Structures are given as C-alpha cells and as structure tokens.
Amino acid sequence: MDTNIDFKNIWKQQTSKKPNIEELLNTLKKFKNENLRKLILANLLLIATSLCIAFIWYRYQPQLISTKIGIVLVILAMVIFLLAYNRMFMIFYKIDNTQSNSDYLQNLYRVKNKQKFMQTTMLNIYFMMLFLGICLYMYEYASKMSSVYAILTYAVTLLWIAFNWFYIRPKTIKKQQGKIDGLINKFEEINNQLKEI
C-alpha cells in the first residue's frame, strides 16, 4: 500500500464532518516550534547554570571534598540530561509540511516515546544526581552555621526540590502528554478515514 498518498487533496474532497487539515498542520507546526524553543532554552539555561557553578568553584575554592563532589554531580546531572534531551532535536527538525500522514504519525510516536523516556528515566536520574549534589555541596557551608540555621537551610532546599518533583514535574508531564496525544489522535483519525476511502 502506498503510504505517500496526497491526503490533503483527498481530505478536501470528503463531504463528512472532519477536522480542518490546515488547522491541524498549523497546530503541528506550533507544537514543533514550541518544543524547539524549549529545547534551545533548556540548553542555554543549563549551560549557563553549569558555567556559574564552575565559576563559583573556581572563585571560592571550597575546602571539603564533599563540596567538590557535589559540584561535579550537579554539573554532570545537567550535562547528562542535556545529552539525552538534545536527541529530540532531529525528531522535531524532521517534521515538515511535505510529509505524508503516516510520516507525521511516525514522528509523533517517536516524540511521544522520547518524551516518556525523558519524563521517567532521565528526570529520575537528573533529580537524584541534583538532590545528592546539592546536599553534598551545602554540607561545607551548613556545617559553619548554627544547628537551627543548618536544618532550616536543608529543609527549605529539600522542600523546593520536593515541590518541583511532586507538583511541577507531574503537571508538566501531563501537559506534554496531553498535547502529543491530542495531535496523535487527530492524525490517527485522518489515517483511519483515508483507509476507508
């Protein structure tokens, strides 16, 4: 079966109620551009953060090995996350208006699978390394504080990490999944209707 059929023309010839194909392609284009912007922004922010952390190490010369290990873990967490996240660039880049419906669907399935990998495996690794790195980094400075301030500092930091892990992360994942699932459902609907012609 020829998967590169001109579904736009066939779609226009149908008389039954259907989603607007141009609107769907515009939604796909917005989805692609939004994700490319997020990818570029994540790169800029995490690289800038890593450079700032490296500068802090160079400028303030921490004394304890735990602080140095903490810094390395935090930077390594960001580098590992970016290496995995940047693999999505080519998937998004390949999506264009010249593809067949099945190509759109295949690319959207790839995006969904890669997003799931990023949302589970990579975010788990990232948060664990970040959590451990921050705790190790803070030890040198917390040990110079009074017990009350040290506990308060750790508590506030851990609450912030927990807030991101239990509230922000699930909310972001749900939003990402909703967008990709919505696009996939619409393209699957088109594919199914084309098969019936």
Side-chain angles (χ1 to χ4, degrees):
M1 183 179 172
D2 183 13
T3 57
N4 290 320
I5 54 178
D6 187 1
F7 74 95
K8 290 178 191 172
N9 286 332
I10 294 172
W11 196 253
K12 287 176 187 173
Q13 294 170 10
Q14 283 193 0
T15 55
S16 62
K17 190 176 182 228
K18 60 203 177 284
N20 184 329
I21 190 67
E22 294 305 321
E23 190 178 302
L24 185 55
L25 290 174
N26 283 337
T27 304
L28 180 64
K29 185 178 179 181
K30 284 179 189 172
F31 174 79
K32 170 189 169 179
N33 291 337
E34 179 185 319
N35 278 282
L36 285 173
R37 275 194 304 274
K38 284 180 183 175
L39 201 143
I40 291 166
L41 185 63
N43 273 275
L44 292 173
L45 288 175
L46 290 181
I47 289 169
T49 304
S50 296
L51 291 174
C52 285
I53 292 169
F55 175 75
I56 289 169
W57 184 353
Y58 171 77
R59 178 74 176 88
Y60 295 103
Q61 295 294 313
Q63 301 301 309
L64 296 181
I65 190 74
S66 62
T67 311
K68 296 171 185 175
I69 292 170
I71 291 171
V72 169
L73 276 174
V74 168
I75 292 173
L76 196 58
M78 293 179 195
V79 169
I80 290 170
F81 182 82
L82 281 181
L83 288 174
Y85 192 33
N86 284 333
R87 290 185 178 175
M88 292 187 78
F89 180 80
M90 285 312 293
I91 298 171
F92 287 122
Y93 188 75
K94 285 179 184 176
I95 299 174
D96 62 38
N97 288 342
T98 62
Q99 295 178 318
S100 69
N101 192 43
S102 60
D103 289 336
Y104 285 131
L105 263 175
Q106 290 308 311
N107 281 326
L108 289 172
Y109 289 141
R110 283 189 202 105
V111 168
K112 184 174 179 165
N113 289 335
K114 186 57 90 171
Q115 270 186 353
K116 188 174 182 182
F117 173 73
M118 291 301 299
Q119 293 163 349
T120 53
T121 307
M122 291 315 300
L123 268 182
N124 289 343
I125 291 169
Y126 177 73
F127 267 94
M128 282 189 293
M129 290 178 73
L130 202 61
F131 170 74
L132 187 59
I134 289 171
C135 287
L136 288 171
Y137 174 78
M138 288 173 51
Y139 176 74
E140 180 174 339
Y141 306 104
S143 65
K144 296 174 184 174
M145 300 176 185
S146 69
S147 297
V148 173
Y149 284 118
I151 290 168
L152 185 64
T153 302
Y154 268 101
V156 168
T157 304
L158 297 179
L159 278 172
W160 176 247
I161 292 171
F163 174 74
N164 279 282
W165 180 256
F166 293 110
Y167 180 75
I168 302 289
R169 185 184 67 93
K171 197 172 180 180
T172 304
I173 288 171
K174 188 176 180 181
K175 188 176 177 184
Q176 287 176 341
Q177 286 176 340
K179 285 183 180 180
I180 192 75
D181 287 343
L183 279 169
I184 287 173
N185 290 341
K186 287 176 184 173
F187 277 101
E188 281 177 342
E189 184 183 333
I190 292 170
N191 231 15
N192 292 336
Q193 288 185 5
L194 290 174
K195 285 174 185 174
E196 294 169 6
I197 296 173

